[in-house]
Amino acid sequence: SVWSKENIVRSPIANADIPNVSFSEYIFSRCDEFKDNTAVIDFESGRNYSYTVMKGAAIKVASALTRLGYKKGDVIAVYSANVPEYSIIMLAASSIGVIVTPANPSYTPGELAIQLEHSKAKAAFTILPLLPNLKEAINSKQSLASSVKEIFILGEAEGCRPVSELLKDDGTMFPDVSIDPKNDILILPYSSGTTGLPKGVMLTHHNCIANLYQVKLAVDIKQGVDRFLGILPFYHIYGMIPVQFGAIDNGCPLITLPKFDPPVFLRALQEQKISILHAVPPILLFMAKHPSVSKECVQNLKYIVSGAAPLGVGLSKEFTERHELPIYQGYGLTETSPVIAIDNPPAKLGSNGPVVCNSTAKVKDVETGRSLGPGEEGEICIKGPQVMKGYLNNQQATNDMIDSDGWLHTGDIGYFCEEGNLVIEDRLKELIKYKGFQVPPAELEAILLTHPSVQDAAVIGVQDAGTGELPKAFIVRKPNTDVQEDGILKFVEEKVAQHKRLRGGVEFIDVIPKSPSGKILRRQLRE
Ligand code: AYL
């Protein structure tokens, strides 16, 4: 059995020997193995890099960055849609110990400025269409002297350093940097975790290599044969590790798409003979229901991975009835690099399969704190090499999530069945998920409180079949004001990325229910 006497659940998969090397050393060794095979292709332009060329390009860029003064511990922001050069920048930075903080390309300048400032990014990489936003983000905080001193651009623009220039470097400044894989940070994505505003998640080189191993030992990936579609955004941990570097680690060509455009997506599936599709439930919904999804589009697919949000059993059934394709559901968090459990072969409708290798899990009774047994519901906790080092400059939030025994408390409610398959039932934490993307209520509440007519505000998620949850605001008006729903919606729209809009609407109430300590009683609002 995977259950211990103390109700600790282990992985049914044997522990792997995870190489204790830097991320670039590991990925470069994979490049040496797959040589002239195609690594990354931009679907629309056909621009592509082989493994050998990609590694060479990364070394040149790393040398150029060193020449420009960047060194171990510095942070570079990447604010870009999915392009092949994303992987090159990531590899170049990691090879010299420079940390990448990936930013959501749909962020408004205001949202971006917060991440740039908090991460103290010294430079930012972007693409032409996003340059105005990036410039605005950098300049908006002029009084605080933005840390970003340089912009690297794909293409050419005044005042920016073209990536093509970095690629012309002769590579001679490529330094010998010593990296401690279990301590040094590889990436700094932002996540709100269980409560509050987005925080910088410190993922080490080892965290990310471990998760690549944990996933490839759980699912069936034919190295050098399978083909991946890079449709999920690389700034998010799902697109970053399981998709982008999962492809590169396994010698699978990665076909990048900068956005979800249904006809282009379907054409890419077909023409590029995609065999493994990483998706989120709204993409499965589209594929289950839309008449334009033909047999030809999906004929090369071997299976679909669904993660980042719950996949309803009904949708699962509808999808498999139409397409006869297995769905492997995965569960995890940005804070766990991200995968905790993944299904293969589909164990049970609605399940996420067993815990990945080298990890153990337990189900904590929310009231008593004791570990629960098979079928009993509680908070899912995980221990393993994929668990983050912590939140940047936020020891309190780190301690709240990872206890002194090393257990990370996910804030999700679920259970493990007798065979060890994980089912997620609910969320204990306040996070809202729209199409698998994070909408931290605290962020919207902070924005709402800056509205001149708003006395108090609270945001919760309301269930929505197509998209997961929709953010809905409860507003207490200031005396003698009469702001209406429209005014609130518009006010928020101008300040946040599209996925954070108040699609659940606005309700005006007299008072926000709060606990004696001032915590918003979200359950009460939900009811
Ligand atoms: P973040 N079912 C239900 N809820 C889920 C699932 C799932 N399969 N996966 C993630 N969540 C929710 O940081 C859950 O509330 O990472 C969790 O705490 O954006 C939160 O999303 C974490 O949100 C993969 C591919 C896992 C991706 C991911 C997760 C990346 C999302 C496994 O194979």
Side-chain angles (χ1 to χ4, degrees):
S1 166
V2 297
W3 289 88
S4 80
K5 282 203 299 287
E6 295 77 31
N7 282 337
I8 305 296
V9 189
R10 59 171 181 78
S11 176
I13 303 164
N15 274 358
D17 238 332
I18 298 160
N20 190 25
V21 296
S22 78
F23 193 73
S24 62
E25 186 177 340
Y26 176 65
I27 297 292
F28 284 166
S29 75
R30 305 302 286 157
C31 293
D32 295 340
E33 194 168 328
F34 299 116
K35 297 189 178 67
D36 298 328
N37 291 3
T38 306
V40 201
I41 314 169
D42 175 59
F43 178 62
E44 302 251 49
S45 70
R47 190 170 75 257
N48 65 82
Y49 299 87
S50 72
Y51 280 88
T52 305
V53 172
M54 183 171 70
K55 175 182 169 185
I59 289 173
K60 286 177 181 183
V61 172
S63 168
L65 290 175
T66 306
R67 222 179 280 280
L68 292 167
Y70 297 94
K71 52 184 193 316
K72 184 176 164 180
D74 288 346
V75 175
I76 289 185
V78 173
Y79 177 56
S80 171
N82 292 2
V83 289
E85 290 74 14
Y86 209 115
S87 318
I88 294 172
I89 304 284
M90 293 254 347
L91 279 176
S94 72
S95 71
I96 57 173
V98 167
I99 299 160
V100 166
T101 190
N104 185 339
S106 67
Y107 264 0
T108 61
E111 293 170 310
L112 179 61
I114 294 171
Q115 185 172 340
L116 294 177
E117 229 171 78
H118 187 264
S119 64
K120 302 206 165 48
K122 290 196 170 163
F125 164 79
T126 198
I127 52 177
L128 282 168
L130 295 177
L131 183 59
N133 272 1
L134 174 60
K135 281 190 168 162
E136 202 180 320
I138 294 170
N139 296 330
S140 66
K141 302 282 163 122
Q142 222 148 30
S143 55
L144 296 167
S146 167
S147 57
V148 178
K149 301 294 180 226
E150 187 161 33
I151 298 174
F152 301 116
I153 189 109
L154 190 62
E156 272 171 40
E158 214 191 296
C160 303
R161 200 178 287 279
V163 171
S164 58
E165 184 190 312
L166 306 179
L167 285 166
K168 284 193 194 110
D169 194 281
D170 62 8
T172 52
M173 281 287 276
F174 185 65
D176 195 4
V177 179
S178 131
I179 285 172
D180 176 356
K182 292 188 177 159
N183 240 313
D184 292 337
I185 312 305
L186 175 73
I187 46 174
L188 190 66
Y190 274 68
S191 161
S192 70
T194 52
T195 181
L197 299 172
K199 295 171 273 289
V201 180
M202 298 190 287
L203 297 180
T204 65
H205 290 244
H206 191 68
N207 286 152
C208 297
I209 296 173
N211 210 241
L212 290 174
Y213 264 76
Q214 291 172 314
V215 171
K216 70 179 160 184
L217 292 170
V219 299
D220 156 35
I221 304 175
K222 268 226 159 25
Q223 296 202 347
V225 175
D226 278 317
R227 300 173 68 83
F228 283 28
L229 189 67
I231 178 69
L232 300 176
F234 294 162
Y235 88 86
H236 185 250
I237 196 71
Y238 186 4
M240 170 77 74
I241 300 296
V243 183
Q244 178 180 211
F245 284 105
I248 293 170
D249 179 27
N250 288 293
C252 300
L254 171 67
I255 291 83
T256 63
L257 286 177
K259 62 170 195 288
F260 184 71
D261 178 358
V264 180
F265 164 74
L266 292 175
R267 205 153 49 72
L269 281 183
Q270 189 175 345
E271 287 175 14
Q272 287 293 330
K273 299 191 163 38
I274 302 302
S275 60
I276 300 179
L277 174 65
H278 295 82
V280 287
I283 296 184
L284 274 90
L285 182 77
F286 164 77
M287 294 178 74
K289 293 201 184 281
H290 205 276
S292 67
V293 185
S294 66
K295 273 235 147 17
E296 290 71 37
C297 297
V298 298
Q299 68 186 1
N300 295 294
L301 287 174
K302 195 162 85 177
Y303 61 84
I304 298 210
V305 181
S306 176
L311 176 67
V313 170
L315 171 56
S316 230
K317 272 194 190 140
E318 194 176 340
F319 182 94
T320 36
E321 270 162 25
R322 175 161 172 195
H323 296 300
E324 288 172 29
L325 266 175
I327 305 170
Y328 296 175
Q329 187 173 197
Y331 162 76
L333 290 72
T334 305
E335 289 82 350
T336 57
S337 312
V339 184
I340 289 176
I342 189 163
D343 203 3
N344 173 35
K348 174 177 158 271
L349 231 44
S351 144
N352 291 280
V355 177
V356 292
C357 66
N358 300 54
S359 307
T360 48
K362 67 175 184 185
V363 181
K364 192 183 87 175
D365 185 314
V366 181
E367 252 116 64
T368 65
R370 73 188 176 94
S371 299
L372 300 171
E376 297 180 313
E377 257 180 49
E379 183 178 17
I380 305 301
C381 301
I382 177 86
K383 201 190 270 199
Q386 75 275 48
V387 171
M388 67 166 175
K389 183 171 168 180
Y391 291 118
L392 179 69
N393 299 332
N394 198 336
Q395 197 58 51
Q396 186 57 53
T398 305
N399 295 345
D400 288 347
M401 199 175 207
I402 307 173
D403 66 26
S404 53
D405 292 327
W407 289 105
L408 178 139
H409 299 243
T410 61
D412 292 309
I413 299 288
Y415 64 88
F416 284 91
C417 67
E418 185 66 51
E419 296 75 40
N421 294 315
L422 172 64
V423 177
I424 299 294
E425 294 276 31
D426 198 1
R427 207 176 290 139
L428 195 60
K429 55 190 174 191
E430 62 187 32
L431 176 69
I432 300 168
K433 285 224 137 180
Y434 174 75
K435 295 189 174 176
F437 297 116
Q438 293 200 5
V439 182
E443 211 182 319
L444 291 171
E445 286 155 4
I447 290 172
L448 289 166
L449 289 176
T450 66
H451 189 288
S453 308
V454 172
Q455 177 77 44
D456 204 357
V459 174
I460 61 161
V462 292
Q463 297 296 321
D464 177 67
T467 54
E469 292 155 295
L470 304 177
K472 169 176 179 177
F474 289 87
I475 303 280
V476 179
R477 287 193 190 96
K478 276 188 184 159
N480 308 317
T481 58
D482 76 333
V483 63
Q484 300 299 313
E485 179 165 20
D486 287 15
I488 299 287
L489 295 180
K490 232 161 136 216
F491 183 78
V492 170
E493 239 176 74
E494 286 161 4
K495 296 180 174 57
V496 300
Q498 234 259 90
H499 67 282
K500 293 183 199 159
R501 290 182 184 171
L502 292 171
R503 290 186 168 80
V506 175
E507 193 174 322
F508 293 94
I509 55 176
D510 294 333
V511 63
I512 304 287
K514 287 185 187 166
S515 71
S517 62
K519 266 188 119 177
I520 296 171
L521 297 172
R522 294 173 203 281
R523 187 156 306 173
Q524 211 160 308
L525 285 171
R526 233 168 268 137
E527 283 155 11

PDB file of all heavy atoms in Angstrom, residues 195-213:
ATOM      1  N   THR A 195      -3.068  33.432   0.600  1.00  0.00           N
ATOM      2  CA  THR A 195      -3.754  34.687   0.933  1.00  0.00           C
ATOM      3  C   THR A 195      -2.923  35.895   0.511  1.00  0.00           C
ATOM      4  O   THR A 195      -1.714  35.790   0.316  1.00  0.00           O
ATOM      5  CB  THR A 195      -4.046  34.751   2.457  1.00  0.00           C
ATOM      6  OG1 THR A 195      -4.733  35.962   2.738  1.00  0.00           O
ATOM      7  CG2 THR A 195      -2.781  34.725   3.285  1.00  0.00           C
ATOM      8  N   GLY A 196      -3.597  37.029   0.361  1.00  0.00           N
ATOM      9  CA  GLY A 196      -2.888  38.287   0.130  1.00  0.00           C
ATOM     10  C   GLY A 196      -2.483  38.549  -1.309  1.00  0.00           C
ATOM     11  O   GLY A 196      -3.024  37.970  -2.245  1.00  0.00           O
ATOM     12  N   LEU A 197      -1.512  39.439  -1.455  1.00  0.00           N
ATOM     13  CA  LEU A 197      -1.066  39.896  -2.774  1.00  0.00           C
ATOM     14  C   LEU A 197      -0.068  38.915  -3.379  1.00  0.00           C
ATOM     15  O   LEU A 197       0.490  38.079  -2.669  1.00  0.00           O
ATOM     16  CB  LEU A 197      -0.422  41.279  -2.618  1.00  0.00           C
ATOM     17  CG  LEU A 197      -1.350  42.370  -2.084  1.00  0.00           C
ATOM     18  CD1 LEU A 197      -0.578  43.653  -1.782  1.00  0.00           C
ATOM     19  CD2 LEU A 197      -2.483  42.648  -3.077  1.00  0.00           C
ATOM     20  N   PRO A 198       0.175  39.022  -4.705  1.00  0.00           N
ATOM     21  CA  PRO A 198       1.169  38.156  -5.325  1.00  0.00           C
ATOM     22  C   PRO A 198       2.540  38.311  -4.664  1.00  0.00           C
ATOM     23  O   PRO A 198       2.943  39.412  -4.300  1.00  0.00           O
ATOM     24  CB  PRO A 198       1.206  38.640  -6.776  1.00  0.00           C
ATOM     25  CG  PRO A 198      -0.135  39.255  -7.009  1.00  0.00           C
ATOM     26  CD  PRO A 198      -0.520  39.868  -5.695  1.00  0.00           C
ATOM     27  N   LYS A 199       3.218  37.166  -4.522  1.00  0.00           N
ATOM     28  CA  LYS A 199       4.535  37.146  -3.870  1.00  0.00           C
ATOM     29  C   LYS A 199       5.513  36.459  -4.810  1.00  0.00           C
ATOM     30  O   LYS A 199       5.108  35.621  -5.609  1.00  0.00           O
ATOM     31  CB  LYS A 199       4.430  36.351  -2.560  1.00  0.00           C
ATOM     32  CG  LYS A 199       3.520  37.008  -1.532  1.00  0.00           C
ATOM     33  CD  LYS A 199       3.255  36.111  -0.329  1.00  0.00           C
ATOM     34  CE  LYS A 199       2.080  35.179  -0.556  1.00  0.00           C
ATOM     35  NZ  LYS A 199       0.777  35.835  -0.564  1.00  0.00           N
ATOM     36  N   GLY A 200       6.789  36.795  -4.704  1.00  0.00           N
ATOM     37  CA  GLY A 200       7.803  36.178  -5.563  1.00  0.00           C
ATOM     38  C   GLY A 200       8.112  34.774  -5.058  1.00  0.00           C
ATOM     39  O   GLY A 200       8.569  34.606  -3.935  1.00  0.00           O
ATOM     40  N   VAL A 201       7.854  33.772  -5.892  1.00  0.00           N
ATOM     41  CA  VAL A 201       8.079  32.379  -5.502  1.00  0.00           C
ATOM     42  C   VAL A 201       9.498  31.979  -5.902  1.00  0.00           C
ATOM     43  O   VAL A 201       9.828  31.948  -7.093  1.00  0.00           O
ATOM     44  CB  VAL A 201       7.059  31.447  -6.193  1.00  0.00           C
ATOM     45  CG1 VAL A 201       7.291  29.993  -5.795  1.00  0.00           C
ATOM     46  CG2 VAL A 201       5.637  31.878  -5.865  1.00  0.00           C
ATOM     47  N   MET A 202      10.336  31.695  -4.905  1.00  0.00           N
ATOM     48  CA  MET A 202      11.735  31.363  -5.193  1.00  0.00           C
ATOM     49  C   MET A 202      11.845  29.869  -5.513  1.00  0.00           C
ATOM     50  O   MET A 202      11.765  29.026  -4.621  1.00  0.00           O
ATOM     51  CB  MET A 202      12.620  31.707  -3.990  1.00  0.00           C
ATOM     52  CG  MET A 202      12.612  33.198  -3.644  1.00  0.00           C
ATOM     53  SD  MET A 202      13.865  33.634  -2.416  1.00  0.00           S
ATOM     54  CE  MET A 202      13.143  32.935  -0.932  1.00  0.00           C
ATOM     55  N   LEU A 203      12.011  29.566  -6.798  1.00  0.00           N
ATOM     56  CA  LEU A 203      12.199  28.180  -7.215  1.00  0.00           C
ATOM     57  C   LEU A 203      13.666  27.986  -7.588  1.00  0.00           C
ATOM     58  O   LEU A 203      14.216  28.724  -8.410  1.00  0.00           O
ATOM     59  CB  LEU A 203      11.283  27.847  -8.398  1.00  0.00           C
ATOM     60  CG  LEU A 203       9.774  27.932  -8.114  1.00  0.00           C
ATOM     61  CD1 LEU A 203       8.957  27.594  -9.359  1.00  0.00           C
ATOM     62  CD2 LEU A 203       9.368  27.002  -6.953  1.00  0.00           C
ATOM     63  N   THR A 204      14.283  26.995  -6.960  1.00  0.00           N
ATOM     64  CA  THR A 204      15.709  26.765  -7.189  1.00  0.00           C
ATOM     65  C   THR A 204      15.923  25.951  -8.474  1.00  0.00           C
ATOM     66  O   THR A 204      14.976  25.386  -9.031  1.00  0.00           O
ATOM     67  CB  THR A 204      16.327  25.983  -6.020  1.00  0.00           C
ATOM     68  OG1 THR A 204      15.717  24.680  -5.997  1.00  0.00           O
ATOM     69  CG2 THR A 204      16.106  26.673  -4.674  1.00  0.00           C
ATOM     70  N   HIS A 205      17.181  25.888  -8.883  1.00  0.00           N
ATOM     71  CA  HIS A 205      17.549  25.045 -10.024  1.00  0.00           C
ATOM     72  C   HIS A 205      17.081  23.610  -9.766  1.00  0.00           C
ATOM     73  O   HIS A 205      16.511  22.956 -10.633  1.00  0.00           O
ATOM     74  CB  HIS A 205      19.073  25.069 -10.220  1.00  0.00           C
ATOM     75  CG  HIS A 205      19.585  26.391 -10.715  1.00  0.00           C
ATOM     76  ND1 HIS A 205      20.179  26.535 -11.940  1.00  0.00           N
ATOM     77  CD2 HIS A 205      19.588  27.625 -10.153  1.00  0.00           C
ATOM     78  CE1 HIS A 205      20.537  27.814 -12.114  1.00  0.00           C
ATOM     79  NE2 HIS A 205      20.182  28.490 -11.030  1.00  0.00           N
ATOM     80  N   HIS A 206      17.320  23.135  -8.547  1.00  0.00           N
ATOM     81  CA  HIS A 206      16.975  21.748  -8.224  1.00  0.00           C
ATOM     82  C   HIS A 206      15.461  21.527  -8.205  1.00  0.00           C
ATOM     83  O   HIS A 206      14.983  20.486  -8.670  1.00  0.00           O
ATOM     84  CB  HIS A 206      17.585  21.355  -6.873  1.00  0.00           C
ATOM     85  CG  HIS A 206      17.495  19.881  -6.603  1.00  0.00           C
ATOM     86  ND1 HIS A 206      18.201  18.949  -7.324  1.00  0.00           N
ATOM     87  CD2 HIS A 206      16.745  19.180  -5.700  1.00  0.00           C
ATOM     88  CE1 HIS A 206      17.926  17.730  -6.875  1.00  0.00           C
ATOM     89  NE2 HIS A 206      17.029  17.847  -5.891  1.00  0.00           N
ATOM     90  N   ASN A 207      14.696  22.493  -7.678  1.00  0.00           N
ATOM     91  CA  ASN A 207      13.233  22.388  -7.685  1.00  0.00           C
ATOM     92  C   ASN A 207      12.746  22.054  -9.098  1.00  0.00           C
ATOM     93  O   ASN A 207      11.920  21.158  -9.286  1.00  0.00           O
ATOM     94  CB  ASN A 207      12.569  23.722  -7.293  1.00  0.00           C
ATOM     95  CG  ASN A 207      12.662  24.067  -5.819  1.00  0.00           C
ATOM     96  OD1 ASN A 207      12.651  25.242  -5.455  1.00  0.00           O
ATOM     97  ND2 ASN A 207      12.727  23.083  -4.945  1.00  0.00           N
ATOM     98  N   CYS A 208      13.259  22.802 -10.070  1.00  0.00           N
ATOM     99  CA  CYS A 208      12.738  22.687 -11.439  1.00  0.00           C
ATOM    100  C   CYS A 208      13.218  21.417 -12.130  1.00  0.00           C
ATOM    101  O   CYS A 208      12.442  20.750 -12.829  1.00  0.00           O
ATOM    102  CB  CYS A 208      13.081  23.942 -12.243  1.00  0.00           C
ATOM    103  SG  CYS A 208      12.294  25.417 -11.528  1.00  0.00           S
ATOM    104  N   ILE A 209      14.486  21.056 -11.917  1.00  0.00           N
ATOM    105  CA  ILE A 209      14.984  19.794 -12.500  1.00  0.00           C
ATOM    106  C   ILE A 209      14.198  18.631 -11.889  1.00  0.00           C
ATOM    107  O   ILE A 209      13.784  17.699 -12.586  1.00  0.00           O
ATOM    108  CB  ILE A 209      16.499  19.619 -12.259  1.00  0.00           C
ATOM    109  CG1 ILE A 209      17.288  20.720 -12.991  1.00  0.00           C
ATOM    110  CG2 ILE A 209      16.959  18.230 -12.724  1.00  0.00           C
ATOM    111  CD1 ILE A 209      18.783  20.734 -12.691  1.00  0.00           C
ATOM    112  N   ALA A 210      13.973  18.699 -10.570  1.00  0.00           N
ATOM    113  CA  ALA A 210      13.242  17.624  -9.891  1.00  0.00           C
ATOM    114  C   ALA A 210      11.868  17.448 -10.512  1.00  0.00           C
ATOM    115  O   ALA A 210      11.436  16.332 -10.805  1.00  0.00           O
ATOM    116  CB  ALA A 210      13.112  17.926  -8.395  1.00  0.00           C
ATOM    117  N   ASN A 211      11.163  18.566 -10.749  1.00  0.00           N
ATOM    118  CA  ASN A 211       9.816  18.418 -11.269  1.00  0.00           C
ATOM    119  C   ASN A 211       9.797  17.894 -12.703  1.00  0.00           C
ATOM    120  O   ASN A 211       8.887  17.161 -13.089  1.00  0.00           O
ATOM    121  CB  ASN A 211       8.999  19.706 -11.121  1.00  0.00           C
ATOM    122  CG  ASN A 211       7.515  19.427 -10.960  1.00  0.00           C
ATOM    123  OD1 ASN A 211       6.683  19.835 -11.753  1.00  0.00           O
ATOM    124  ND2 ASN A 211       7.151  18.642  -9.926  1.00  0.00           N
ATOM    125  N   LEU A 212      10.829  18.244 -13.488  1.00  0.00           N
ATOM    126  CA  LEU A 212      10.913  17.672 -14.839  1.00  0.00           C
ATOM    127  C   LEU A 212      11.019  16.149 -14.736  1.00  0.00           C
ATOM    128  O   LEU A 212      10.358  15.412 -15.470  1.00  0.00           O
ATOM    129  CB  LEU A 212      12.120  18.240 -15.592  1.00  0.00           C
ATOM    130  CG  LEU A 212      12.035  19.716 -16.003  1.00  0.00           C
ATOM    131  CD1 LEU A 212      13.355  20.198 -16.604  1.00  0.00           C
ATOM    132  CD2 LEU A 212      10.892  19.929 -17.003  1.00  0.00           C
ATOM    133  N   TYR A 213      11.841  15.672 -13.799  1.00  0.00           N
ATOM    134  CA  TYR A 213      11.974  14.233 -13.572  1.00  0.00           C
ATOM    135  C   TYR A 213      10.678  13.613 -13.081  1.00  0.00           C
ATOM    136  O   TYR A 213      10.255  12.552 -13.526  1.00  0.00           O
ATOM    137  CB  TYR A 213      13.092  13.956 -12.541  1.00  0.00           C
ATOM    138  CG  TYR A 213      14.406  13.645 -13.197  1.00  0.00           C
ATOM    139  CD1 TYR A 213      15.165  14.655 -13.759  1.00  0.00           C
ATOM    140  CD2 TYR A 213      14.867  12.337 -13.281  1.00  0.00           C
ATOM    141  CE1 TYR A 213      16.352  14.379 -14.389  1.00  0.00           C
ATOM    142  CE2 TYR A 213      16.058  12.049 -13.911  1.00  0.00           C
ATOM    143  CZ  TYR A 213      16.803  13.071 -14.462  1.00  0.00           C
ATOM    144  OH  TYR A 213      17.977  12.779 -15.099  1.00  0.00           O
TER     145      TYR A 213
END
